[in-house]
Amino acid sequence: MIEPSWRKPVGIFLILLIIFIWAVIVATASPWIGQLHMLVQAVIYTIAGIVWILPLKPLLAWMETGRWRA
């Protein structure tokens, strides 16, 4: 029988932590972003919606293999 890895629950916690911290950062910046032109806001929020995904690839690799690179 395969023993469950402790890396998966820790990884899930870290993913949720990354999402929470990124949401706080974006929400904190929103008063300044809200003063910009609507199209600039759309670009900033689109980029902010994608950037938080970048640290997930190495984190998911670590969760599966125990190494930070696949």
Side-chain angles (χ1 to χ4, degrees):
M1 185 169 164
I2 298 175
E3 289 292 322
S5 172
W6 58 270
R7 289 188 309 268
K8 289 190 181 184
V10 170
I12 291 170
F13 173 76
L14 289 174
I15 290 170
L16 293 174
L17 184 64
I18 288 169
I19 293 170
F20 175 76
I21 291 171
W22 191 245
V24 168
I25 291 169
V26 172
T28 302
S30 68
W32 297 289
I33 297 170
Q35 296 174 357
L36 301 172
H37 188 272
M38 185 173 33
L39 291 176
V40 176
Q41 288 181 42
V43 170
I44 291 172
Y45 285 124
T46 300
I47 292 169
I50 295 170
V51 167
W52 71 272
I53 298 170
L54 296 177
L56 292 186
K57 184 174 182 178
L59 180 58
L60 291 171
W62 173 78
M63 287 170 62
E64 288 296 321
T65 65
R67 291 174 280 143
W68 288 102
R69 295 181 186 190

